[in-house]
Amino acid sequence: MKDIYEPQGIEPRWQKTWDEAKVHAASLDDRKPKFYMLEMFPYPSGRIHMGHVRNYSIGDVITRYQWMRGRQVLHPMGWDAFGLPAEEAAIERNLHPASWTYDNIAEMRGQLKRLGFAYDWDRELTTCKPEYYRWEQLAFLRALDRDLVYRKSSLINWSEALGTVLANEQVIEGKDYKLGLPVVQREMVQWFFRTTRFADDLLDGLRELEALWPERVVAEQRARIGRSEGTEVRFPLLRPAGGADHLLVFTTRPDTIYGVTFMSLAAEHPLALRLSEGTGREAEVRAFVERVRNDVDRARSAGDYEKEGLFTGAFCINPLSGDRIPIYIANFVLMDYGTGAVMAVPAHDQRDFEFARKYDLPIKVVIRPAGQRIDPAAMNEAYVEDGVQTASGPFDGLPNREAIRRVTDHLAGKGMGGPAVSYRLRDWCISRQRYWGCPIPVIHCERCGVVPVPETDLPVTLPEDVTFSLKGGAVLAKNETFLRAACPRCGGQGRRESDTFDTFVESSWYQLRYTSPAYAKGIMEPAAAGWMPVDQYVGGIEHAVGHLVYARFFQRLLLKLGLIPASVPAEPFKRLLTQGMVVRETQYTEDEKGLRTWHASDEVKDGISLKNGMPVKIGRLQKMSKSLKNGVDPNEIIGKYGADTARLFMLFASPPEKDLEWKDEGVEGCYRFLLRVWRIVRRASVDLKGVKPYRDDGKDLGGPAMALRRVIHRTICKVTEDIEERYHFNTAIARIMELSNALAAFSPASDTDRSVLREGVEMLVILLAPFAPHISDEMWAGIGDGRLLIRSDWPIWDKAAAAEDIVEIVFQINGKLRARIQMPVGSSAEQVESEALSSPQIQKHIADKQVIKKIFVPDRLLNLVVK
Ligand code: ANZ
Ligand code: ZN
């Protein structure tokens, strides 16, 4: 070992050694338990940021720990390589999305390698490669065959000014992100996976995940699936319209059916326009429907917009009361929930109440508190509590909960409705009018319609010879060489589908592909099934209901299609950890108008901006970002302190699920800790040369050695528990720091003492290995057994040694306090005396005097009477 710790020299060397020895390569082995560790793979946007460093450091500790526990670990990495930013870069910088993407991948791969993460790089996946995406094309074709994927007309964001379809994130308050001009909703035929077929199964699966996933994620998924048990009711139309003779509604409150005073339809309801035909209100209704449909914000807001409606001119009949009910279009009714039609009960639903007051519609009370009356004219709000039925014909007097069941049964008996379940979950729209994505493998033929590309013709590859303009969405739609294709059915001239898949398709099955990334006969090699499920998944909370629902769905879909071995469990991710954000304080200057300019640290000196000379204020802690200039470049930290310090800080500064505040002093502190460890180990490599680590039962040890052993074994125990049970790496590292302090303070007085110290130093290095792997292997090379630490055994603590409690014993000479000594519980008078007298300070009080009496109170006091 060198005198000085030099991470820049050490780290690349170990990375090379690990690579060459392929120590991170995974292979399934029947004799060993497997562990599949996965972190959400990055989008290759340019460079690694601190959020990545944190996410991947967490995964790497678990990986290395599991290797040391003797498991066969699969820990892969890859690139979620399709997506919008590549197209934007293409347009703005005149680069091809592919070259931009591959350049970024090269850069980011280099950064991950510099951080020394234990990936099996032979399994690297890049989702924009045909050998990857061909399998999702296959899944699509098989799903099409089984009616699990279909086409329907649906709304998209259309920018007239840009002449293109926009993704939701490109629409800001109803305007496009580029020119700030209005975006409208346009109907287009698009492809959908039948995600809703799996709604109940996805819901059931959550029960199994409850104890292993963050509560919040499970709750959000449950809400997203949104299973609701209710009743469907048919309201006959007074005059049939558009071929329909009734309106179907979904309600959770059939008990309020006698209180229905109007009907609310979604603007997208298929009958919305037809109902007004011949009523003289067509023009007005059409204008209103158009306006509501084009209200981009409505589709996305949580409902806090002005409630509006318009009478269609048509009526329907209440199937139980026989009342004639006016039909309205209302902007708060969404087409994609229930049936898109709502029976409105203003007396018992607050939204309907406000609507009724606004448009002067009747309010009819049908539920009242027992023994009380409600005067509709005096109501200030809807009565939403339980109560007793009133003005409800044969159901009068029933508790309303009871009436819910009875009304439903009654409707079912008369063929006017019955029990129904509704879900919030929608079928997954996978069509994107984008170039940089996986082509959807169908051909449109004038004679045959939509014809699937034969499986033998897969993959349908994305053409590379394309030109970009502002109208990026049309790149494929205008590429004649790509579009022209013979119809596989009749041989006539057909046109390829020009839409590509939503990029969430690629990330919904990559966990499976990693198990056998080179397999050429299917998605997954049968022999690799044993890797599934992922034992630990780590990633951001922002994927709680997007990616994590899609992946849970897609794995089920592939199982159903028989495209992956039946032994693969339905749930892809057994345990989930969602890490917090990396936040840092912001710095800004403010002009007279209160306009803020954000400053990076190197733009500030002594509280003054180097850019505008104004005093700099400290702002809130915020997620690191380019725009707030509060980011820290991982390269800079690695360059200055090394990867081990960067990783250690990420793990030490807070528990993984909490936000982590970046502090330069904190990084500095971690670096100093590694320096201290280095010094301890370096000294041991000289002083303890040839000394064997202590292996005995501890009965032969003096007090301080016993106390040190206690620290050593308690540290092993706590660090193991912190990793194993809670992933609280911060406290684990704090324990290791304590151990290093105890080792530094220990001065061995005997050979056994030296062997205990040796044991402690070895443990220090081994325990540190998952957190700071390079320095640990370097130190281990100086004092260890010649193995790489990832191939070493995780230590087991000695229960007896760890369990000892330490007490403070008062040591007196002639009744006078001379010292307080830390001793293990149950130490004998001799042990306490020899410990006390090991100090020259105390010895001098006795010097040549004679001990005539010893007063010993076990675990409390030893008083020597001398003369
Ligand atoms: C009559 C009624 C009376 C309702 C009452 C509620 C209270 P959950 O529980 O979330 O499933 N609804 C149905 N479809 C809708 C849609 N597409 N857009 C907006 N609202 C819709 O909600 C079910 C209730 O939400 C249904 O029950 C319906 O209003 C409304 F005192 O029917 B209710
Ligand atoms: Zn044809």
Side-chain angles (χ1 to χ4, degrees):
M1 269 174 84
K2 293 222 176 92
D3 287 352
I4 297 160
Y5 170 48
E6 265 178 341
Q8 291 75 8
I10 293 172
E11 293 180 350
R13 184 152 44 74
W14 285 105
Q15 287 155 16
K16 192 154 168 267
T17 306
W18 299 334
D19 255 8
E20 284 169 2
K22 287 203 177 295
V23 284
H24 307 141
S27 61
L28 265 182
D29 180 340
D30 290 344
R31 291 154 305 174
K32 285 184 185 166
K34 67 93 185 179
F35 194 92
Y36 185 176
M37 174 69 224
L38 186 64
E39 299 112 52
M40 292 179 185
F41 63 168
Y43 177 74
S45 55
R47 303 181 109 201
I48 295 290
H49 56 66
M50 280 299 172
H52 292 124
V53 178
R54 185 173 193 202
N55 187 174
Y56 303 149
S57 295
I58 292 167
D60 209 57
V61 177
I62 302 171
T63 298
R64 290 174 182 276
Y65 170 76
Q66 293 295 347
W67 274 115
M68 294 174 81
R69 291 299 304 263
R71 312 233 155 88
Q72 278 303 311
V73 185
L74 171 55
H75 186 216
M77 183 39 78
W79 312 97
D80 191 11
F82 275 137
L84 211 49
E87 275 182 56
E88 310 230 295
I91 296 162
E92 272 155 31
R93 291 177 237 172
N94 202 22
L95 293 166
H96 195 285
S99 72
W100 182 84
T101 303
Y102 287 116
D103 284 352
N104 289 345
I105 288 175
E107 169 70 24
M108 291 168 78
R109 186 196 297 113
Q111 286 184 292
L112 293 184
K113 291 201 167 179
R114 274 184 85 189
L115 280 155
F117 295 132
Y119 297 125
D120 183 352
W121 281 108
D122 290 345
R123 293 172 186 261
E124 182 177 353
L125 289 179
T126 307
T127 60
C128 62
K129 291 187 173 173
E131 59 266 34
Y132 181 83
Y133 65 67
R134 62 174 301 172
W135 300 114
E136 67 196 46
Q137 291 180 338
L138 177 69
F140 173 90
L141 292 177
R142 296 281 174 94
L144 187 59
D145 198 41
R146 303 270 299 267
D147 189 36
L148 290 166
V149 77
Y150 66 99
R151 263 162 44 105
K152 77 168 178 201
S153 178
S154 149
L155 294 175
I156 46 98
N157 307 308
W158 176 257
S159 159
E160 197 58 58
L162 296 173
T164 184
V165 173
L166 295 177
N168 277 338
E169 55 271 26
Q170 293 178 310
V171 184
I172 301 143
E173 293 175 358
K175 309 271 164 55
D176 75 78
Y177 71 109
K178 206 160 214 153
L179 307 172
L181 292 168
V183 174
V184 295
Q185 301 276 290
R186 203 188 206 189
E187 289 240 339
M188 246 172 104
V189 177
Q190 309 197 65
W191 289 98
F192 289 81
F193 273 124
R194 285 199 199 279
T195 325
T196 48
R197 287 265 178 93
F198 296 79
D200 273 328
D201 196 32
L202 288 168
L203 209 52
D204 287 347
L206 288 177
R207 245 175 287 156
E208 174 187 324
L209 303 177
E210 227 145 41
L212 303 166
W213 279 31
E215 232 172 88
R216 176 177 157 198
V217 177
V218 173
E220 282 182 26
Q221 292 224 351
R222 208 161 257 146
R224 170 57 62 97
I225 298 165
R227 185 180 204 274
S228 176
E229 286 184 27
T231 305
E232 251 171 22
V233 190
R234 297 162 74 114
F235 283 71
L237 290 170
L238 197 59
R239 278 197 312 137
D245 64 354
H246 70 275
L247 278 179
L248 191 65
V249 307
F250 173 76
T251 177
T252 45
R253 298 291 307 275
D255 53 327
T256 63
I257 191 162
Y258 283 84
V260 176
T261 57
F262 61 99
M263 193 64 74
S264 304
L265 299 193
E268 294 83 9
H269 196 284
L271 295 179
L273 294 173
R274 311 301 292 271
L275 283 168
S276 67
E277 279 170 15
T279 65
R281 300 182 58 81
E282 293 98 320
E284 210 184 330
V285 170
R286 182 173 300 276
F288 181 72
V289 163
E290 290 277 297
R291 183 158 65 78
V292 173
R293 284 190 190 181
N294 272 324
D295 187 351
V296 181
D297 291 336
R298 178 184 71 115
R300 270 181 272 139
S301 76
D304 51 349
Y305 48 86
E306 176 71 15
K307 310 284 179 289
E308 277 185 277
L310 187 73
F311 179 42
T312 59
F315 294 87
C316 61
I317 307 292
N318 186 321
L320 294 194
S321 69
D323 289 350
R324 204 173 74 142
I325 292 164
I327 305 170
Y328 276 68
I329 313 285
N331 69 342
F332 58 83
V333 180
L334 303 174
M335 192 56 223
D336 55 12
Y337 187 65
T339 62
V342 179
M343 58 179 227
V345 186
H348 304 294
D349 181 271
Q350 186 58 25
R351 208 168 42 182
D352 296 344
F353 181 83
E354 287 162 22
F355 195 89
R357 280 281 153 90
K358 179 166 176 179
Y359 294 104
D360 210 13
L361 290 156
I363 294 173
K364 194 178 160 201
V365 174
V366 292
I367 293 164
R368 54 181 174 78
Q372 285 179 40
R373 277 203 53 217
I374 301 178
D375 174 10
M379 286 175 98
N380 293 321
E381 56 180 11
Y383 178 74
V384 298
E385 311 294 313
D386 283 338
V388 182
Q389 299 292 138
T390 182
S392 298
F395 303 96
D396 272 5
L398 281 179
N400 75 300
R401 292 279 131 202
E402 171 80 21
I404 288 178
R405 282 186 291 275
R406 298 271 286 267
V407 170
T408 305
D409 289 350
H410 182 73
L411 288 166
K414 289 180 62 181
M416 300 303 290
V421 179
S422 198
Y423 297 89
R424 299 247 163 228
L425 189 70
R426 301 276 58 97
D427 279 340
W428 177 11
C429 176
I430 47 167
S431 291
R432 293 294 179 275
Q433 296 70 38
R434 288 283 146 209
Y435 164 70
W436 192 235
C438 169
I440 297 179
V442 297
I443 292 166
H444 299 271
C445 169
E446 273 184 13
R447 230 170 309 163
C448 315
V450 177
V451 184
V453 170
E455 286 183 10
T456 46
D457 290 353
L458 294 186
V460 175
T461 50
L462 196 61
E464 302 250 329
D465 59 330
V466 290
T467 41
F468 286 88
S469 67
L470 251 190
K471 313 196 174 195
V475 173
L476 269 193
K478 294 211 172 119
N479 188 306
E480 284 301 320
T481 24
F482 171 75
L483 291 176
R484 234 169 307 168
C487 167
R489 202 160 287 159
C490 71
Q493 185 61 251
R495 285 179 86 71
R496 281 191 196 283
E497 170 71 66
S498 60
D499 283 359
T500 53
F501 284 138
D502 175 4
T503 58
F504 276 111
V505 177
E506 284 86 62
S507 54
S508 64
W509 61 281
Y510 77 126
Q511 74 279 2
L512 295 160
R513 189 63 182 165
Y514 275 136
T515 67
S516 44
Y519 189 56
K521 293 194 209 117
I523 289 178
M524 188 177 184
E525 190 176 349
W531 280 119
M532 293 301 293
V534 170
D535 291 275
Q536 180 66 58
Y537 198 30
V538 183
I541 187 76
E542 67 274 17
H543 296 295
V545 285
H547 160 62
L548 287 167
V549 172
Y550 295 135
R552 295 182 60 227
F553 156 73
F554 213 78
Q555 188 151 315
R556 286 168 164 82
L557 176 73
L558 293 177
L559 278 167
K560 186 157 195 155
L561 297 173
L563 285 172
I564 52 174
S567 62
V568 170
E571 287 299 337
F573 313 114
K574 189 169 163 198
R575 283 230 234 172
L576 171 71
L577 188 155
T578 49
Q579 87 272 3
M581 298 184 295
V582 182
V583 300
R584 192 181 178 210
E585 67 179 23
T586 42
Q587 304 187 73
Y588 64 94
T589 52
E590 218 167 13
D591 67 13
E592 320 80 56
K593 292 191 200 108
L595 216 66
R596 288 181 179 186
T597 309
W598 302 99
H599 284 63
S601 301
D602 59 8
E603 294 168 351
V604 180
K605 201 166 181 234
D606 303 325
I608 301 294
S609 161
L610 296 176
K611 289 176 79 190
N612 56 24
M614 291 201 276
V616 173
K617 294 182 192 165
I618 303 295
R620 282 194 293 129
L621 288 177
Q622 299 212 56
K623 181 177 178 177
M624 285 188 174
S625 82
K626 274 204 188 90
S627 55
L628 295 173
K629 291 198 172 183
N630 64 340
V632 176
D633 182 2
N635 279 3
E636 208 177 287
I637 300 301
I638 302 169
K640 191 163 170 198
Y641 300 104
D644 281 336
T645 294
R647 299 166 54 129
L648 197 67
F649 173 70
M650 286 285 142
L651 297 162
F652 178 56
S654 78
E657 67 279 4
K658 296 266 162 53
D659 283 354
L660 179 157
E661 185 186 347
W662 180 275
K663 280 199 175 138
D664 294 342
E665 312 89 82
V667 183
E668 188 78 40
C670 285
Y671 182 65
R672 276 200 310 272
F673 166 62
L674 291 181
L675 285 179
R676 188 159 71 239
V677 173
W678 182 271
R679 276 196 304 271
I680 292 169
V681 178
R682 180 165 149 72
R683 209 176 73 196
S685 74
V686 178
D687 294 356
L688 305 179
K689 213 178 185 92
V691 174
K692 293 262 170 300
Y694 186 82
R695 291 273 180 263
D696 236 330
D697 63 4
K699 298 226 166 65
D700 57 335
L701 297 180
M706 203 183 270
L708 180 63
R709 269 204 100 222
R710 177 176 175 274
V711 176
I712 297 168
H713 287 271
R714 286 190 79 99
T715 305
I716 300 171
C717 169
K718 291 293 171 194
V719 171
T720 307
E721 284 173 4
D722 282 345
I723 298 179
E724 186 90 18
E725 289 164 23
R726 293 176 287 273
Y727 291 149
H728 278 185
F729 309 124
N730 56 328
T731 53
I733 294 167
R735 301 274 179 188
I736 299 173
M737 290 175 169
E738 280 166 31
L739 173 61
S740 78
N741 291 339
L743 294 169
F746 184 77
S747 29
S750 66
D751 282 348
T752 29
D753 279 4
R754 266 187 289 282
S755 65
V756 170
L757 182 58
R758 172 100 202 181
E759 181 189 20
V761 173
E762 290 190 3
M763 289 308 139
L764 175 68
V765 176
I766 294 174
L767 295 178
L768 190 62
F771 306 94
H774 309 85
I775 188 177
S776 302
D777 261 344
E778 179 75 11
M779 294 186 299
W780 197 241
I783 61 161
D785 57 7
R787 286 196 291 177
L788 290 170
L789 282 169
I790 201 164
R791 288 279 175 276
S792 301
D793 302 324
W794 187 256
I796 298 166
W797 64 96
D798 177 335
K799 283 209 181 65
E804 290 279 8
D805 263 337
I806 297 289
V807 283
E808 190 177 79
I809 296 181
V810 170
F811 179 73
Q812 299 173 327
I813 297 173
N814 289 342
K816 219 172 164 171
L817 178 70
R818 290 297 176 198
R820 296 175 187 276
I821 316 168
Q822 312 288 322
M823 293 296 292
V825 166
S827 300
S828 65
E830 289 67 40
Q831 280 172 325
V832 177
E833 183 178 347
S834 84
E835 173 59 24
L837 298 184
S838 68
S839 150
Q841 245 72 16
I842 291 175
Q843 262 179 25
K844 74 169 188 255
H845 291 290
I846 300 185
D848 48 356
K849 295 185 187 116
Q850 205 192 336
V851 178
I852 50 171
K853 199 173 164 195
K854 294 177 189 173
I855 302 158
F856 182 58
V857 186
D859 297 336
R860 300 278 296 275
L861 169 143
L862 177 65
N863 182 14
L864 302 185
V865 182
V866 298
K867 214 170 74 179

